[in-house]
């Protein structure tokens, strides 16, 4: 005996078959964020009180630029996944849900573009 209603069987509505992948992506980015956040905090704390030229030089190094890029990608993607779950769970109007998911995605891409611009400007001297 299935748990689906007769109408659900007729329409063929069921699982979107995406939940497990979404779950694992969120967990993978969470695990990746652990060392990235630790190194990021260490970087910020080590630069507290340093003169501007030293901070700029440290942030312009290739290793730091790559780290900032990885950190940003992982954190922004993790945030997008988490906010998508919140929107899907708590917004009941389909139109509002779609609009908020789109805004969430646009916000992540815009934030990523800002970070990329800042990293490029620091790394390539601008």
């Amino acid at each position: 005996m299935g748990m689906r209603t007769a109408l659900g069987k007729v329409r063929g509505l069921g699982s979107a078959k995406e939940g497990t992948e979404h779950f694992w992506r969120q967990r993978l980015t969470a695990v990746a964020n652990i060392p990235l956040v630790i190194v990021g905090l260490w970087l910020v704390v080590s630069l507290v009180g340093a003169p501007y030229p030293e901070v700029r030089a440290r942030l312009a190094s290739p290793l730091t630029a790559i780290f900032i890029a990885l950190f940003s990608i992982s954190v922004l993607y993790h945030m997008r996944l988490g906010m998508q779950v919140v929107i899907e769970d708590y917004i009941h109007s389909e139109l509002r849900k779609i609009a908020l998911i789109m805004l969430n995605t646009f916000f992540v891409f815009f934030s990523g573009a800002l970070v990329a611009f800042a990293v490029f400007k620091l790394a390539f001297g601008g």
Side-chain angles (χ1 to χ4, degrees):
M1 176 172 250
M3 298 293 291
R4 296 171 64 187
T5 65
L7 182 60
K9 289 177 187 175
V10 170
R11 287 186 178 166
L13 300 175
S15 170
K17 309 273 191 270
E18 292 183 8
T20 304
E21 183 178 347
H22 191 275
F23 173 86
W24 281 109
R25 285 182 179 182
Q26 196 169 22
R27 293 329 179 261
L28 179 66
T29 56
V31 170
N33 287 342
I34 293 169
L36 291 171
V37 168
I38 290 170
V39 172
L41 286 173
W42 171 82
L43 179 65
V44 169
V45 169
S46 70
L47 292 173
V48 169
Y52 177 75
E54 181 183 335
V55 172
R56 189 155 195 255
R58 177 94 62 89
L59 294 178
S61 77
L63 190 61
T64 306
I66 290 170
F67 165 76
I68 292 171
L70 290 173
F71 175 81
S72 301
I73 291 168
S74 182
V75 167
L76 287 170
Y77 188 59
H78 182 76
M79 180 195 72
R80 181 181 167 272
L81 292 171
M83 284 304 300
Q84 182 178 341
V85 170
V86 170
I87 292 167
E88 288 172 348
D89 286 350
Y90 294 105
I91 304 298
H92 302 295
S93 164
E94 278 302 310
L95 184 61
R96 197 173 284 158
K97 187 183 301 188
I98 291 169
L100 288 172
I101 289 174
M102 287 173 59
L103 285 173
N104 182 40
T105 301
F106 293 151
F107 177 77
V108 167
F109 279 112
F110 182 71
S111 299
L114 288 176
V115 170
F117 174 76
V119 169
F120 288 148
K121 189 166 178 157
L122 278 169
F124 300 117

